[in-house]
Amino acid sequence: MDAVLLVDHHPVAPPAGPAGVVVRALLTISGQVPARRQRTPLAMSLVLDRSGSMSGDRLEAAKAASISAVERLHPDDVVSVITFDGQVDVVAPPAPRARQFQLVQQVAAIYAAGSTNLSGGWLRGRQHMEQALGMLGSLEGSSRRIVLLTDGHANTGITDPSTLVELARTARAMGISTTTIGVGEGYDDDLLRSMADAGGGNSWYVERPDQAQDVLAEELGNLLSVSAQGLSVTLTLEDAVTVFATHSSWPAMATANTFTFDLGDLYASEPKPVLVELFVPADRLDALASSGAPIATLVVAADVLLDGGGVEHRSMTLGVAASLETQSTLVPAVEHAVLLARAAKAREEAARRQRGGGADGAQAAMRVVASSLKMSALQEHPEFADELQAQVRDLDGLAERYASQEFSEVDAKYQMQRSYNTRRGKKQNDNMLKREP
């Protein structure tokens, strides 16, 4: 497990607010697949919505994606498949893949009918992952994950969102994580994202059925490249230092001057970022500089999978420097991350405004952030210019859709997923949405 901290700063003065310095800190955590380690078996329960709205292309795509995923599993990986509509059916109970001779044919035979007992399907998946613990062998660091795929709202069984989220959180405490995949425009993206956050997994949006296979392949690839579990970052501030903005959307717990971010598992294939802006009042600058103490500390902690086997809890501490000159410093990688984070927040704002009937406000949110990206000094930077220009084209295209009243709930979900990808360090997954501006 490695961590790199980049910091820059700029002074602020009235009338924008109290005088002081804004410090921007970008922490990037990366992992590696342990060398010479015996492969750790994983357990996965595929929980598939087969309600009436899934009939046709959606269900066929979900089945094809599930078949592709199970065919990539190792013989000693444990897998189960569950379907739900108004009731819950076990297609395949948990067992090592090598013993599930008819699994592909069983998945192919799934058909659509009925309503959406989301809670019943998920609860059966949790039961299967509890049973899987005894099938995984003695090597530490195994992963057990429920992958829930649905295109609708929970309308049978447990339907209260807070209860479903708490169930996912409780399962995580048992070592069982939850990933959610929403299909089309009808599902409850707030619920699925909250369940994934509480469950320590990922949240995905499939706009078109043919994207499901790429999503499940990426999810399985993550599970196969776990390098650390239970990754957290604790930010502790010195007196008088405050949080100016938090750009990363990880679940967090806060006390007076401490913030702990829950980043879930760390994958070798996917570094994880934490991006914050801190404010230091002008009257504290000299005292902090003379003391030599950092204005804040970041503690990165996780259970790291070791070379040759085993798991070890490790932590590292990084200080955010207090040497804050009156002149601005700009680190291009930090500026780039902040610009993309602001665009991500604008996407969320546009989606909320659209859902509230405010197409004009949604259009304005897109135009404002597109304009700020066009004016950025990074437009001339060889490393970042192409990506910023692509962002501008996408944002302008969405603004035109709002202006012409051509938007839909699909646009809102697209915005939310793009924002989620950016703020979680998953921007490389934007290509799975396969949408041109």
Side-chain angles (χ1 to χ4, degrees):
M1 181 174 66
D2 296 317
V4 175
L5 177 63
L6 300 176
V7 178
D8 67 9
H9 69 271
H10 63 270
V12 293
V21 172
V22 171
V23 180
R24 309 189 302 185
L26 172 62
L27 175 68
T28 304
I29 307 159
S30 56
Q32 304 81 33
V33 175
R36 304 180 306 280
R37 179 185 173 93
Q38 178 185 347
R39 183 186 175 278
T40 308
L42 63 87
M44 181 171 62
S45 183
L46 291 167
V47 180
L48 307 180
D49 184 349
R50 66 163 199 173
S51 60
S53 58
M54 282 286 292
S55 62
D57 290 347
R58 290 181 181 178
L59 185 57
E60 291 306 311
K63 287 157 54 174
S66 299
I67 289 170
S68 178
V70 300
E71 287 180 334
R72 290 183 58 194
L73 293 175
H74 287 231
D76 53 353
D77 290 335
V78 175
V79 61
S80 76
V81 179
I82 296 158
T83 60
F84 64 92
D85 50 12
Q87 63 182 24
V88 176
D89 292 313
V90 175
V91 176
R97 176 69 182 94
R99 290 167 42 196
Q100 303 219 11
F101 306 110
Q102 301 299 317
L103 184 56
V104 169
Q105 293 88 339
Q106 289 169 318
V107 172
I110 296 170
Y111 61 91
S115 54
T116 309
N117 186 359
L118 185 152
S119 65
W122 181 89
L123 285 167
R124 188 61 59 85
R126 185 184 73 177
Q127 181 187 72
H128 284 184
M129 290 300 92
E130 290 174 15
Q131 296 170 9
L133 182 60
M135 305 177 188
L136 288 172
S138 59
L139 190 63
E140 293 181 282
S142 61
S143 297
R144 291 178 290 156
R145 179 159 298 184
I146 302 166
V147 179
L148 171 68
L149 186 149
T150 181
D151 74 337
H153 291 245
N155 55 30
T156 304
I158 299 171
T159 59
D160 175 58
S162 62
T163 302
L164 290 166
V165 170
E166 190 56 35
L167 285 170
R169 181 175 290 110
T170 301
R172 187 182 178 195
M174 302 162 57
I176 301 168
S177 56
T178 298
T179 280
T180 59
I181 303 172
V183 181
E185 72 282 356
Y187 72 94
D188 185 340
D189 53 350
D190 285 339
L191 169 62
L192 294 195
R193 193 168 294 116
S194 296
M195 288 183 69
D197 281 350
N202 303 304
S203 180
W204 300 90
Y205 165 50
V206 172
E207 186 167 300
R208 299 195 317 273
D210 63 293
Q211 297 163 350
Q213 189 159 323
D214 287 343
V215 165
L216 263 179
E218 181 70 16
E219 181 68 17
L220 184 57
N222 286 340
L223 286 172
L224 293 171
S225 69
V226 171
S227 63
Q229 297 173 326
L231 178 63
S232 68
V233 174
T234 300
L235 168 68
T236 303
L237 307 175
E238 288 297 306
D239 291 342
V241 179
T242 56
V243 173
F244 186 77
T246 302
H247 294 297
S248 302
S249 63
W250 304 109
M253 295 181 60
T255 60
N257 68 337
T258 301
F259 300 79
T260 300
F261 301 94
D262 177 4
L263 281 66
D265 290 344
L266 178 64
Y267 313 120
S269 58
E270 185 181 279
K272 294 198 169 185
V274 174
L275 176 60
V276 296
E277 296 187 61
L278 310 178
F279 178 74
V280 185
D283 59 8
R284 288 288 297 160
L285 290 173
D286 290 342
L288 284 168
S290 62
S291 72
I295 65 168
T297 57
L298 291 157
V299 177
V300 182
D303 296 320
V304 178
L305 278 63
L306 302 177
D307 292 351
V311 175
E312 179 179 271
H313 185 76
R314 292 180 180 174
S315 65
M316 63 183 78
T317 301
L318 301 96
V320 181
S323 55
L324 306 174
E325 304 88 354
T326 55
Q327 297 297 315
S328 299
T329 63
L330 186 145
V331 174
V334 177
E335 173 73 1
H336 175 248
V338 170
L339 288 173
L340 294 186
R342 289 174 180 166
K345 288 185 177 180
R347 291 180 186 282
E348 290 184 12
E349 179 186 352
R352 287 193 296 269
R353 287 178 179 271
Q354 172 196 323
R355 287 168 170 170
D360 290 343
Q363 179 192 172
M366 297 292 89
R367 297 290 190 199
V368 168
V369 74
S371 177
S372 70
L373 294 184
K374 291 173 188 175
M375 296 170 60
S376 170
L378 294 189
Q379 286 287 355
E380 304 300 323
H381 195 289
E383 184 178 350
F384 304 118
D386 288 347
E387 183 177 9
L388 291 183
Q389 290 163 15
Q391 283 276 329
V392 168
R393 290 193 297 270
D394 186 70
L395 293 164
D396 281 342
L398 286 161
E400 291 171 8
R401 290 175 69 88
Y402 288 127
S404 61
Q405 302 290 314
E406 294 178 353
F407 56 86
S408 67
E409 176 59 20
V410 166
D411 290 305
K413 285 184 165 58
Y414 172 79
Q415 300 277 63
M416 287 295 193
Q417 187 65 36
R418 290 288 298 272
S419 177
Y420 176 88
N421 288 350
T422 296
R423 299 175 74 185
R424 297 295 179 90
K426 297 176 177 289
K427 246 195 119 299
Q428 72 276 10
N429 294 332
D430 281 355
N431 64 343
M432 293 185 194
L433 296 175
K434 299 175 183 175
R435 172 190 264 202
E436 294 297 329

